[in-house]
Amino acid sequence: MKRILVTGGNGFIGSHTSIVLLQKDYEVVIVDSFINSSRNFYERIKILAKRIDSNLLRRIIFFEGDIRDKNLLEGIFRKSANEGKRIVGVIHFAGLKAVAESLKEPSKYWDFNFIGTFRLIEVMEKYDCRTLIFSSSATVYGCSKDFLISENAAVNPINPYGHTKAAIENFLKNIYDSKSDKWRIACLRYFNPIGAHSTGLIGDNPNGIPNNIFPFINQVAIGKIERLEIFGNDWDTSDGTCIRDYIHVMDLAEGHILSLEFLLENECRFINLNLGTGIGTSVLELVNIFQEENKVKVPFNYADRRVGDIARIVADNGFAYSLLNWKPTKTINEMCKDGWRWQQVKG
Ligand code: UD1
């Protein structure tokens, strides 16, 4: 049974990926500082694991702490090695992800995201663990005008958060190039992850007022927030609202497992991979589908464009399909349904 370290495994994508890893017979070591999640949420992961199969619980190990703490990371790798269960790969989610905050506090983003990854690589090298899946983002493409964005599109981020992701990708490429017979690295560029686990036990759990549209819609629907502001209805799109490529978090989780298995089973390489559906949905369409699918009201009004937004960003996901045979399976309706189930359970 292979042991995998999941940094930020208590977050939105990390928690769903950890559950799928457990189901696929991996042992999962989660390290999380709770900066963007909670202890209570970790209890939910355990409840879900137990509900799937009580044996899964024995295969999750949790460490509370920050990955910039080299002693903590070393302790995790050392403990596993001493137990004769070496960590064979890392899926690295830990980091900050709010664009607006990154504009106000860029240093904080470089510290948490870049320095955190830097420490992780140092410790991975020391413990001879050289398989890494990095949680990147389509944000690295900035303002690409391509109808479908492929991995070859220019990397040109437009905010500090995006710059940290792009810089980490570059750093990881340097690391790979320095020992290309040793490292296996995949940078997964997510488009817009939404939805939740179909049980409603885990989902996106942002602290405070959400930045992203989907948790915002959910909180309006449940009455926590009065109304949604749609940022602009004068964009150059069919209904004037922005188009995004929303992807179900479980499809995304599956993409991580397939990437990990591909890296573990093949010769060393470095890859950048888009994880999106290739289907564009406008903000207005998303709101309408959410309302119809869940039979709830989401009051909204149009507001000014948000600084830094772009009209349309949709993935060309052909590379992930050809390399991994990965194809997202869940529709936007399922994303809305699963997300709303989670919101109702969570309250
Ligand atoms: C954002 C980040 C991106 C990050 C991604 C995934 C920005 C500029 N980009 O992408 O770096 O990788 O989340 O977490 O923040 N919208 C509204 N009203 C709202 C909130 C959003 O109309 O209250 C609209 C936005 O204008 C956008 C769409 O909904 O057109 C999606 O927004 P959001 O969920 O914030 O994601 P992105 O901006 O695509």
Side-chain angles (χ1 to χ4, degrees):
M1 197 169 279
K2 294 189 175 107
R3 185 173 277 196
I4 305 297
L5 174 65
V6 182
T7 75
N10 204 38
F12 177 37
I13 307 167
S15 57
H16 291 75
T17 303
S18 296
I19 288 291
V20 181
L21 278 171
L22 290 168
Q23 288 180 284
K24 302 243 165 154
D25 277 351
Y26 288 93
E27 282 186 331
V28 178
V29 180
I30 292 178
V31 57
D32 200 296
S33 67
F34 294 131
I35 189 167
N36 259 328
S37 61
S38 64
R39 215 161 258 122
N40 183 30
F41 190 76
Y42 180 59
E43 292 308 312
R44 287 176 173 277
I45 299 176
K46 288 203 292 188
I47 292 168
L48 175 55
K50 191 170 170 200
R51 187 184 290 183
I52 294 167
D53 175 351
S54 56
N55 290 318
L56 299 192
L57 270 185
R58 276 189 258 130
R59 288 198 264 116
I60 324 182
I61 303 156
F62 184 83
F63 290 89
E64 180 178 348
D66 190 312
I67 57 160
R68 291 168 302 166
D69 178 351
K70 204 169 165 184
N71 289 334
L72 168 84
L73 276 183
E74 289 212 17
I76 294 172
F77 277 87
R78 197 182 317 115
K79 189 164 188 295
S80 284
N82 290 344
E83 287 168 4
K85 302 241 177 141
R86 218 172 61 77
I87 292 170
V88 298
V90 178
I91 308 186
H92 174 35
F93 295 100
L96 301 178
K97 59 173 187 176
V99 172
E101 183 187 46
S102 80
L103 286 159
K104 283 189 212 126
E105 295 180 80
S107 310
K108 184 171 162 187
Y109 274 68
W110 284 97
D111 186 8
F112 276 79
N113 294 0
F114 192 84
I115 302 295
T117 309
F118 185 84
R119 293 276 170 269
L120 176 66
I121 292 295
E122 282 183 318
V123 177
M124 285 177 73
E125 289 234 70
K126 180 164 176 187
Y127 287 86
D128 199 23
C129 169
R130 290 192 172 84
T131 298
L132 175 70
I133 307 285
F134 170 58
S135 171
S136 189
S137 167
T139 200
V140 298
Y141 296 120
C143 299
S144 171
K145 298 241 181 313
D146 298 353
F147 191 71
L148 292 180
I149 300 181
S150 84
E151 292 82 356
N152 300 324
V155 167
N156 193 14
I158 54 171
N159 53 60
Y161 161 70
H163 278 291
T164 64
K165 291 286 177 188
I168 293 167
E169 287 190 356
N170 281 331
F171 167 60
L172 295 176
K173 179 70 167 62
N174 292 166
I175 293 295
Y176 168 79
D177 287 340
S178 70
K179 286 191 190 122
S180 60
D181 57 337
K182 289 211 159 68
W183 281 94
R184 293 172 164 81
I185 300 178
C187 300
L188 305 186
R189 295 172 175 170
Y190 315 145
F191 281 65
N192 289 61
I194 63 169
H197 196 272
S198 60
T199 55
L201 281 170
I202 58 170
D204 198 0
N205 196 29
N207 290 333
I209 297 176
N211 299 299
N212 296 119
I213 184 126
F214 195 70
F216 207 100
I217 290 176
N218 275 278
Q219 294 200 15
V220 172
I222 208 156
K224 276 188 170 173
I225 299 176
E226 204 179 319
R227 58 203 301 120
L228 168 73
E229 288 196 324
I230 294 183
F231 298 139
N233 61 346
D234 55 352
W235 296 92
D236 185 17
T237 60
S238 51
D239 62 21
T241 66
C242 291
I243 292 177
R244 294 289 182 273
D245 181 338
Y246 297 99
I247 174 157
H248 197 293
V249 64
M250 291 305 286
D251 279 327
L252 209 55
E254 190 65 32
H256 287 75
I257 314 297
L258 291 176
S259 303
L260 176 73
E261 291 181 339
F262 177 84
L263 290 183
L264 289 172
E265 285 159 17
N266 288 282
E267 72 262 30
C268 294
R269 69 184 72 202
F270 175 92
I271 44 178
N272 291 317
L273 209 61
N274 283 346
L275 293 183
T277 61
I279 300 168
T281 304
S282 77
V283 172
L284 193 57
E285 284 168 337
L286 178 68
V287 172
N288 286 334
I289 294 168
F290 190 94
Q291 296 189 108
E292 281 159 27
E293 190 64 44
N294 297 317
K295 312 275 176 289
V296 287
K297 290 254 170 290
V298 179
F300 68 86
N301 57 266
Y302 292 110
D304 290 344
R305 292 179 176 195
R306 182 172 66 179
V307 177
D309 270 345
I310 54 169
R312 182 190 150 92
I313 172 160
V314 179
D316 174 344
N317 62 10
F319 184 42
Y321 181 60
S322 62
L323 191 76
L324 309 174
N325 205 18
W326 175 80
K327 221 173 179 179
T329 57
K330 300 203 184 262
T331 62
I332 191 88
N333 294 63
E334 289 173 278
M335 300 179 212
C336 288
K337 215 170 167 164
D338 289 342
W340 177 235
R341 189 180 299 111
W342 155 242
Q343 180 67 57
Q344 287 171 291
V345 170
K346 178 166 81 104

PDB file of all heavy atoms in Angstrom, residues 116-133:
ATOM      1  N   GLY A 116       6.501  28.016   0.992  1.00  0.00           N
ATOM      2  CA  GLY A 116       5.945  26.714   1.398  1.00  0.00           C
ATOM      3  C   GLY A 116       6.382  25.615   0.437  1.00  0.00           C
ATOM      4  O   GLY A 116       6.837  24.541   0.859  1.00  0.00           O
ATOM      5  N   THR A 117       6.296  25.894  -0.855  1.00  0.00           N
ATOM      6  CA  THR A 117       6.682  24.881  -1.855  1.00  0.00           C
ATOM      7  C   THR A 117       8.189  24.634  -1.823  1.00  0.00           C
ATOM      8  O   THR A 117       8.652  23.499  -1.953  1.00  0.00           O
ATOM      9  CB  THR A 117       6.252  25.345  -3.268  1.00  0.00           C
ATOM     10  OG1 THR A 117       4.871  25.713  -3.227  1.00  0.00           O
ATOM     11  CG2 THR A 117       6.456  24.247  -4.298  1.00  0.00           C
ATOM     12  N   PHE A 118       8.919  25.711  -1.631  1.00  0.00           N
ATOM     13  CA  PHE A 118      10.380  25.615  -1.570  1.00  0.00           C
ATOM     14  C   PHE A 118      10.813  24.663  -0.438  1.00  0.00           C
ATOM     15  O   PHE A 118      11.621  23.757  -0.629  1.00  0.00           O
ATOM     16  CB  PHE A 118      10.932  27.034  -1.351  1.00  0.00           C
ATOM     17  CG  PHE A 118      12.419  27.129  -1.384  1.00  0.00           C
ATOM     18  CD1 PHE A 118      13.088  27.241  -2.596  1.00  0.00           C
ATOM     19  CD2 PHE A 118      13.160  27.098  -0.211  1.00  0.00           C
ATOM     20  CE1 PHE A 118      14.479  27.323  -2.630  1.00  0.00           C
ATOM     21  CE2 PHE A 118      14.539  27.181  -0.234  1.00  0.00           C
ATOM     22  CZ  PHE A 118      15.201  27.292  -1.451  1.00  0.00           C
ATOM     23  N   ARG A 119      10.215  24.860   0.749  1.00  0.00           N
ATOM     24  CA  ARG A 119      10.527  23.988   1.894  1.00  0.00           C
ATOM     25  C   ARG A 119      10.153  22.542   1.586  1.00  0.00           C
ATOM     26  O   ARG A 119      10.881  21.609   1.910  1.00  0.00           O
ATOM     27  CB  ARG A 119       9.738  24.430   3.136  1.00  0.00           C
ATOM     28  CG  ARG A 119      10.142  25.755   3.685  1.00  0.00           C
ATOM     29  CD  ARG A 119      11.353  25.659   4.624  1.00  0.00           C
ATOM     30  NE  ARG A 119      11.829  26.991   4.926  1.00  0.00           N
ATOM     31  CZ  ARG A 119      12.769  27.647   4.239  1.00  0.00           C
ATOM     32  NH1 ARG A 119      13.400  27.077   3.249  1.00  0.00           N
ATOM     33  NH2 ARG A 119      13.105  28.879   4.570  1.00  0.00           N
ATOM     34  N   LEU A 120       9.020  22.394   0.978  1.00  0.00           N
ATOM     35  CA  LEU A 120       8.547  21.042   0.675  1.00  0.00           C
ATOM     36  C   LEU A 120       9.544  20.321  -0.241  1.00  0.00           C
ATOM     37  O   LEU A 120       9.900  19.162   0.002  1.00  0.00           O
ATOM     38  CB  LEU A 120       7.161  21.133  -0.001  1.00  0.00           C
ATOM     39  CG  LEU A 120       6.558  19.819  -0.484  1.00  0.00           C
ATOM     40  CD1 LEU A 120       6.240  18.890   0.689  1.00  0.00           C
ATOM     41  CD2 LEU A 120       5.262  20.088  -1.276  1.00  0.00           C
ATOM     42  N   ILE A 121      10.021  21.025  -1.256  1.00  0.00           N
ATOM     43  CA  ILE A 121      10.965  20.413  -2.197  1.00  0.00           C
ATOM     44  C   ILE A 121      12.270  20.047  -1.475  1.00  0.00           C
ATOM     45  O   ILE A 121      12.825  18.967  -1.685  1.00  0.00           O
ATOM     46  CB  ILE A 121      11.244  21.370  -3.394  1.00  0.00           C
ATOM     47  CG1 ILE A 121       9.992  21.515  -4.243  1.00  0.00           C
ATOM     48  CG2 ILE A 121      12.439  20.904  -4.234  1.00  0.00           C
ATOM     49  CD1 ILE A 121       9.543  20.253  -4.940  1.00  0.00           C
ATOM     50  N   GLU A 122      12.726  20.951  -0.606  1.00  0.00           N
ATOM     51  CA  GLU A 122      13.958  20.654   0.156  1.00  0.00           C
ATOM     52  C   GLU A 122      13.824  19.339   0.922  1.00  0.00           C
ATOM     53  O   GLU A 122      14.712  18.495   0.904  1.00  0.00           O
ATOM     54  CB  GLU A 122      14.226  21.769   1.181  1.00  0.00           C
ATOM     55  CG  GLU A 122      14.826  23.026   0.604  1.00  0.00           C
ATOM     56  CD  GLU A 122      15.114  24.053   1.712  1.00  0.00           C
ATOM     57  OE1 GLU A 122      14.272  24.223   2.631  1.00  0.00           O
ATOM     58  OE2 GLU A 122      16.176  24.684   1.654  1.00  0.00           O
ATOM     59  N   VAL A 123      12.679  19.202   1.591  1.00  0.00           N
ATOM     60  CA  VAL A 123      12.490  18.012   2.430  1.00  0.00           C
ATOM     61  C   VAL A 123      12.259  16.777   1.557  1.00  0.00           C
ATOM     62  O   VAL A 123      12.768  15.687   1.853  1.00  0.00           O
ATOM     63  CB  VAL A 123      11.349  18.245   3.442  1.00  0.00           C
ATOM     64  CG1 VAL A 123      11.097  17.006   4.276  1.00  0.00           C
ATOM     65  CG2 VAL A 123      11.689  19.430   4.347  1.00  0.00           C
ATOM     66  N   MET A 124      11.530  16.944   0.464  1.00  0.00           N
ATOM     67  CA  MET A 124      11.317  15.798  -0.438  1.00  0.00           C
ATOM     68  C   MET A 124      12.662  15.270  -0.948  1.00  0.00           C
ATOM     69  O   MET A 124      12.893  14.063  -0.989  1.00  0.00           O
ATOM     70  CB  MET A 124      10.415  16.192  -1.620  1.00  0.00           C
ATOM     71  CG  MET A 124       8.945  16.338  -1.242  1.00  0.00           C
ATOM     72  SD  MET A 124       7.915  16.886  -2.630  1.00  0.00           S
ATOM     73  CE  MET A 124       7.872  15.402  -3.641  1.00  0.00           C
ATOM     74  N   GLU A 125      13.539  16.207  -1.333  1.00  0.00           N
ATOM     75  CA  GLU A 125      14.870  15.791  -1.827  1.00  0.00           C
ATOM     76  C   GLU A 125      15.601  14.991  -0.755  1.00  0.00           C
ATOM     77  O   GLU A 125      16.156  13.932  -1.021  1.00  0.00           O
ATOM     78  CB  GLU A 125      15.714  17.025  -2.172  1.00  0.00           C
ATOM     79  CG  GLU A 125      15.247  17.730  -3.399  1.00  0.00           C
ATOM     80  CD  GLU A 125      16.366  17.908  -4.424  1.00  0.00           C
ATOM     81  OE1 GLU A 125      16.811  16.915  -5.035  1.00  0.00           O
ATOM     82  OE2 GLU A 125      16.765  19.053  -4.600  1.00  0.00           O
ATOM     83  N   LYS A 126      15.559  15.537   0.457  1.00  0.00           N
ATOM     84  CA  LYS A 126      16.298  14.913   1.548  1.00  0.00           C
ATOM     85  C   LYS A 126      15.815  13.479   1.790  1.00  0.00           C
ATOM     86  O   LYS A 126      16.602  12.595   2.091  1.00  0.00           O
ATOM     87  CB  LYS A 126      16.139  15.765   2.818  1.00  0.00           C
ATOM     88  CG  LYS A 126      16.880  15.197   3.994  1.00  0.00           C
ATOM     89  CD  LYS A 126      17.057  16.211   5.107  1.00  0.00           C
ATOM     90  CE  LYS A 126      17.719  15.522   6.296  1.00  0.00           C
ATOM     91  NZ  LYS A 126      17.764  16.400   7.459  1.00  0.00           N
ATOM     92  N   TYR A 127      14.510  13.290   1.646  1.00  0.00           N
ATOM     93  CA  TYR A 127      13.954  11.953   1.919  1.00  0.00           C
ATOM     94  C   TYR A 127      13.723  11.152   0.638  1.00  0.00           C
ATOM     95  O   TYR A 127      12.996  10.161   0.637  1.00  0.00           O
ATOM     96  CB  TYR A 127      12.680  12.078   2.779  1.00  0.00           C
ATOM     97  CG  TYR A 127      13.046  12.441   4.191  1.00  0.00           C
ATOM     98  CD1 TYR A 127      13.234  13.767   4.552  1.00  0.00           C
ATOM     99  CD2 TYR A 127      13.312  11.451   5.136  1.00  0.00           C
ATOM    100  CE1 TYR A 127      13.648  14.113   5.831  1.00  0.00           C
ATOM    101  CE2 TYR A 127      13.720  11.785   6.407  1.00  0.00           C
ATOM    102  CZ  TYR A 127      13.893  13.112   6.755  1.00  0.00           C
ATOM    103  OH  TYR A 127      14.309  13.445   8.019  1.00  0.00           O
ATOM    104  N   ASP A 128      14.350  11.606  -0.430  1.00  0.00           N
ATOM    105  CA  ASP A 128      14.340  10.875  -1.690  1.00  0.00           C
ATOM    106  C   ASP A 128      12.917  10.552  -2.170  1.00  0.00           C
ATOM    107  O   ASP A 128      12.646   9.453  -2.649  1.00  0.00           O
ATOM    108  CB  ASP A 128      15.152   9.571  -1.508  1.00  0.00           C
ATOM    109  CG  ASP A 128      15.563   9.008  -2.848  1.00  0.00           C
ATOM    110  OD1 ASP A 128      15.620   9.786  -3.811  1.00  0.00           O
ATOM    111  OD2 ASP A 128      15.792   7.792  -2.929  1.00  0.00           O
ATOM    112  N   CYS A 129      12.057  11.514  -1.984  1.00  0.00           N
ATOM    113  CA  CYS A 129      10.688  11.381  -2.516  1.00  0.00           C
ATOM    114  C   CYS A 129      10.596  12.395  -3.640  1.00  0.00           C
ATOM    115  O   CYS A 129      10.676  13.598  -3.408  1.00  0.00           O
ATOM    116  CB  CYS A 129       9.680  11.698  -1.408  1.00  0.00           C
ATOM    117  SG  CYS A 129       7.994  11.865  -2.013  1.00  0.00           S
ATOM    118  N   ARG A 130      10.464  11.933  -4.877  1.00  0.00           N
ATOM    119  CA  ARG A 130      10.563  12.870  -6.001  1.00  0.00           C
ATOM    120  C   ARG A 130       9.405  12.759  -6.989  1.00  0.00           C
ATOM    121  O   ARG A 130       9.575  12.927  -8.184  1.00  0.00           O
ATOM    122  CB  ARG A 130      11.910  12.679  -6.703  1.00  0.00           C
ATOM    123  CG  ARG A 130      13.085  13.157  -5.863  1.00  0.00           C
ATOM    124  CD  ARG A 130      14.346  13.224  -6.686  1.00  0.00           C
ATOM    125  NE  ARG A 130      15.429  13.852  -5.957  1.00  0.00           N
ATOM    126  CZ  ARG A 130      16.232  13.215  -5.103  1.00  0.00           C
ATOM    127  NH1 ARG A 130      16.062  11.932  -4.889  1.00  0.00           N
ATOM    128  NH2 ARG A 130      17.210  13.855  -4.496  1.00  0.00           N
ATOM    129  N   THR A 131       8.234  12.468  -6.424  1.00  0.00           N
ATOM    130  CA  THR A 131       7.033  12.483  -7.270  1.00  0.00           C
ATOM    131  C   THR A 131       6.072  13.512  -6.682  1.00  0.00           C
ATOM    132  O   THR A 131       5.698  13.421  -5.505  1.00  0.00           O
ATOM    133  CB  THR A 131       6.374  11.086  -7.295  1.00  0.00           C
ATOM    134  OG1 THR A 131       7.313  10.176  -7.867  1.00  0.00           O
ATOM    135  CG2 THR A 131       5.092  11.089  -8.119  1.00  0.00           C
ATOM    136  N   LEU A 132       5.720  14.496  -7.491  1.00  0.00           N
ATOM    137  CA  LEU A 132       4.940  15.625  -6.970  1.00  0.00           C
ATOM    138  C   LEU A 132       3.834  16.036  -7.933  1.00  0.00           C
ATOM    139  O   LEU A 132       4.061  16.225  -9.126  1.00  0.00           O
ATOM    140  CB  LEU A 132       5.865  16.831  -6.752  1.00  0.00           C
ATOM    141  CG  LEU A 132       5.185  18.134  -6.321  1.00  0.00           C
ATOM    142  CD1 LEU A 132       4.659  18.039  -4.897  1.00  0.00           C
ATOM    143  CD2 LEU A 132       6.154  19.313  -6.431  1.00  0.00           C
ATOM    144  N   ILE A 133       2.631  16.191  -7.359  1.00  0.00           N
ATOM    145  CA  ILE A 133       1.517  16.794  -8.104  1.00  0.00           C
ATOM    146  C   ILE A 133       1.305  18.167  -7.479  1.00  0.00           C
ATOM    147  O   ILE A 133       1.038  18.265  -6.273  1.00  0.00           O
ATOM    148  CB  ILE A 133       0.203  15.985  -7.915  1.00  0.00           C
ATOM    149  CG1 ILE A 133       0.385  14.507  -8.234  1.00  0.00           C
ATOM    150  CG2 ILE A 133      -0.938  16.610  -8.715  1.00  0.00           C
ATOM    151  CD1 ILE A 133       0.481  14.174  -9.669  1.00  0.00           C
TER     152      ILE A 133
END
